[in-house]
Amino acid sequence: MRLTTKGRYAVTAMLDLAINAPDGPTSLGDISQRQEISLSYLEQLFARLRRAGLVSSVRGPGGGYLLAKPPEEISVSQVIDAVNETVDATRCQGLSDCQQGDTCLTHHLWCELSGQIRSFLDDITLAQLIQRPDVIRIATRQKQRANAGILASSP
């Protein structure tokens, strides 16, 4: 499987954006703090997400990013595709040249697994994820920690 931190971080950041959408634009700094993802890495990911039409940016004070489509219309696989990740369980990237130019014994098995994973991720939207009790619980904890950090640093 070739889903790296790039794909995982992109999905995490987009989920954070969807959760916080009712509050208006979300800054990458806020996502970085809540999700413990480097700000410079988020900037790279969001440039790709913007080019893919999944987010839009708002400039100025109170600016940040918004989802460019309703969360019901954004699947996890779209986010992964936007950052140029693949969900491929084969060692040959599906080229069938896994064994010195020939198809290996288990090539078709791994291709089928890749298809199953792709189908699974196609069927999950950000809207579905933000309704999950585990996601709600974790997001609430993250917001409380972020708010406590803000209060602790206030004069």
Side-chain angles (χ1 to χ4, degrees), residues 24 28 36 81 86 91 101 107 110 128:
L28 293 184
E36 300 178 359
D81 289 345
T86 61
R91 286 189 351 197
H107 175 81
W110 305 130
Q128 291 169 319

Side-chain angles (χ1 to χ4, degrees), residues 18-63:
I19 289 166
N20 292 289
D23 300 333
T26 301
S27 75
L28 293 184
D30 288 345
I31 296 172
S32 173
Q33 180 185 12
R34 282 190 296 265
Q35 304 309 324
E36 300 178 359
I37 301 171
S38 152
L39 182 58
S40 61
Y41 200 70
L42 283 173
E43 288 168 348
Q44 294 171 31
L45 293 176
F46 272 73
R48 292 179 179 195
L49 293 166
R50 193 169 32 89
R51 279 194 299 272
L54 297 179
V55 298
S56 60
S57 60
V58 177
R59 294 188 180 271

Side-chain angles (χ1 to χ4, degrees), residues 62-78:
Y65 284 88
L66 297 167
L67 295 177
K69 304 181 204 179
E72 300 81 22
E73 296 178 20
I74 301 174
S75 70
V76 171
S77 64
Q78 287 175 306

Side-chain angles (χ1 to χ4, degrees), residues 12-153:
T12 299
M14 286 291 286
L15 185 54
D16 186 291
L17 198 62
I19 289 166
N20 292 289
D23 300 333
T26 301
S27 75
L28 293 184
D30 288 345
I31 296 172
S32 173
Q33 180 185 12
R34 282 190 296 265
Q35 304 309 324
E36 300 178 359
I37 301 171
S38 152
L39 182 58
S40 61
Y41 200 70
L42 283 173
E43 288 168 348
Q44 294 171 31
L45 293 176
F46 272 73
R48 292 179 179 195
L49 293 166
R50 193 169 32 89
R51 279 194 299 272
L54 297 179
V55 298
S56 60
S57 60
V58 177
R59 294 188 180 271
Y65 284 88
L66 297 167
L67 295 177
K69 304 181 204 179
E72 300 81 22
E73 296 178 20
I74 301 174
S75 70
V76 171
S77 64
Q78 287 175 306
V79 175
I80 292 168
D81 289 345
V83 296
N84 298 324
E85 279 290 286
T86 61
V87 180
D88 180 11
T90 67
R91 286 189 351 197
C92 64
Q93 288 78 47
L95 300 175
S96 298
D97 61 356
C98 11
Q99 198 168 39
Q100 296 147 2
D102 289 327
T103 305
C104 73
L105 200 56
T106 55
H107 175 81
H108 297 289
L109 171 69
W110 305 130
C111 282
E112 289 173 25
L113 175 61
S114 296
Q116 291 291 322
I117 294 169
R118 177 64 184 211
S119 178
F120 174 76
L121 297 176
D122 277 341
D123 290 342
I124 299 174
T125 66
L126 294 179
Q128 291 169 319
L129 288 175
I130 62 177
Q131 294 173 2
R132 290 176 56 150
D134 57 319
V135 170
I136 293 168
R137 181 177 35 79
I138 294 165
T140 301
R141 183 194 71 221
Q142 290 174 339
K143 283 184 182 182
Q144 288 170 341
R145 282 188 182 160
N147 290 340
I150 291 168
L151 294 175
S153 65

